[in-house]
Amino acid sequence: MNRRQFLGTTAAALASAPLAASVPAYAQDRPALPGKSLPIGVFDPPFNKLTLDQMLDRFSALGIEAVEVGAGGPNGSPHCPRPELLADPAKARAWKKKFDDRGIPVMTLSCHNNALYPDAAKAREAAKQFRETLQLAGMLGIPTVVGFSGCPGGSPTDTVPNWVVYRWPDEHGEALDWQWKERVIPYWQETVKFAREHGVHRIALEMHPNFVVYNPRTLLRLREAVGEEIGANCDLSHLFWQQCNAVEVIRFLGKQGAIYHAHMKDTAFFPQNVDRFGVLNFGKKDDHEASEFFRAVGYGHSASQWKDIMAAYMEVRYNGMLSIENEDPILSGEVGVQRSLAVLKNVREEILANAPNPG
């Protein structure tokens, strides 16, 4: 067979082949997508300069469908006066009603801090804020509280946190074992019990560097040790730089019912810097030797990739909101929220219309 005959035979075979090969990735080997879509919302710090009423007006104008409110920690929000609301249940209910009346429910309260800090005073304050956030969520029927796992020192005498991810030399492995046995598991056993007593059964821990839970494996280690109240805040921005496959992470955790919240945030890489310095090389906006930094959704990975990600959340029947967290150093504040919102709404519309994803 000469070249022309070969090409003609191949073209004819392709033309007559079934169209199964063009089925989008998210439609293969999984049940049909659910009829209802996931609510696309926002984590409120970019709007901290607005009053609560001004923020809700802006949310309505932007078409935001749900909200995650910062209730404590460095990302606490002026929109949630936690001590005041706890002290007055009627005031707390009126606060929540403002969101409900706009059709923008508070689906999550957040308290990002380190209750395992080696300094006892700092640890007590962090634990107090997190417990108060759990109490407020239980009082208002908010199903999910988001936070960090925390990170202790590497010994009883340490004064600063010690993030250990490599067990050799041996003293590092010993420090890691001590952290989990003496600090991590006891604290979270007590905190899970407290959450349960206050009617909160979903604590979504963000898998974040510098904390003991930083990837799916460490998340499941804590979940297995203290209970199924522990689940993931699946912030893929921290998993992208660890070279995780986002869709596989969602499927892996989702099949175990271990995804309780989802931050929508992207990560962009500078390949030449990754080649030189590796991925453990974060930088700020003007650091031209950084390997990566955070971006708005669609500015690190394509809309096609985010379409597969959203479809994976639907595939595993994730029951929560998609919460835009904007930490983009270029598209700051509301601008990054708007750009992320546009990408996510567009890909959701395509998925629900069963549009193929050839990318």
Side-chain angles (χ1 to χ4, degrees), residues 99-171:
F99 293 87
D100 293 338
D101 287 348
R102 303 291 188 104
I104 309 170
V106 179
M107 293 185 67
T108 308
L109 294 181
S110 292
C111 184
H112 293 86
N113 54 21
N114 183 4
L116 298 176
Y117 202 94
D119 181 286
K122 290 182 178 179
R124 279 195 301 270
E125 177 59 26
K128 175 176 175 288
Q129 290 187 20
F130 195 75
R131 286 195 171 205
E132 289 178 352
T133 302
L134 290 168
Q135 284 180 281
L136 184 59
M139 178 190 297
L140 295 175
I142 296 170
T144 306
V145 170
V146 172
F148 291 136
S149 61
C151 185
S155 75
T157 58
D158 278 3
T159 58
V160 295
N162 187 345
W163 187 42
V164 182
V165 297
Y166 200 76
R167 296 189 62 89
W168 189 88
D170 291 342
E171 58 266 27

Side-chain angles (χ1 to χ4, degrees), residues 16 31 128 137 205 227 243:
S16 62
K128 175 176 175 288
L205 297 181
Q243 305 300 300

Side-chain angles (χ1 to χ4, degrees), residues 11-32:
L14 289 174
S16 62
L19 296 177
S22 66
V23 174
Y26 59 79
Q28 298 174 12
D29 300 322
R30 63 157 183 80

Side-chain angles (χ1 to χ4, degrees), residues 149-293:
S149 61
C151 185
S155 75
T157 58
D158 278 3
T159 58
V160 295
N162 187 345
W163 187 42
V164 182
V165 297
Y166 200 76
R167 296 189 62 89
W168 189 88
D170 291 342
E171 58 266 27
H172 294 277
E174 292 166 5
L176 186 61
D177 292 339
W178 178 86
Q179 286 179 324
W180 279 81
K181 180 180 178 182
E182 301 297 333
R183 295 290 187 266
V184 178
I185 292 175
Y187 168 77
W188 281 107
Q189 284 176 332
E190 293 177 5
T191 302
V192 161
K193 181 175 182 290
F194 182 88
R196 200 180 294 134
E197 290 169 350
H198 288 82
V200 177
H201 300 283
R202 289 162 55 112
I203 297 174
L205 297 181
E206 186 167 339
M207 297 172 283
H208 195 292
N210 285 329
F211 296 104
V212 293
V213 168
Y214 58 90
N215 65 9
R217 190 176 186 185
T218 50
L219 175 84
L220 292 179
R221 179 181 179 183
L222 184 59
R223 178 179 167 95
E224 290 164 5
V226 306
E228 292 188 356
E229 284 81 4
I230 297 295
N233 168 20
C234 199
D235 186 330
L236 296 171
S237 67
H238 306 300
L239 302 182
F240 284 137
W241 70 261
Q242 294 183 67
Q243 305 300 300
C244 293
N245 179 304
V247 170
E248 290 306 310
V249 166
I250 293 166
R251 286 174 173 164
F252 174 68
L253 292 176
K255 287 176 181 177
Q256 300 176 70
I259 302 177
Y260 292 162
H261 191 60
H263 272 171
M264 297 287 104
K265 187 172 70 181
D266 214 335
T267 304
F269 293 86
F270 295 98
Q272 70 277 14
N273 292 339
V274 173
D275 290 345
R276 295 189 189 109
F277 309 123
V279 296
L280 293 176
N281 180 42
F282 271 90
K284 297 183 178 180
K285 178 179 180 181
D286 297 323
D287 183 357
H288 296 291
E289 291 192 328
S291 294
E292 64 272 310
F293 59 87

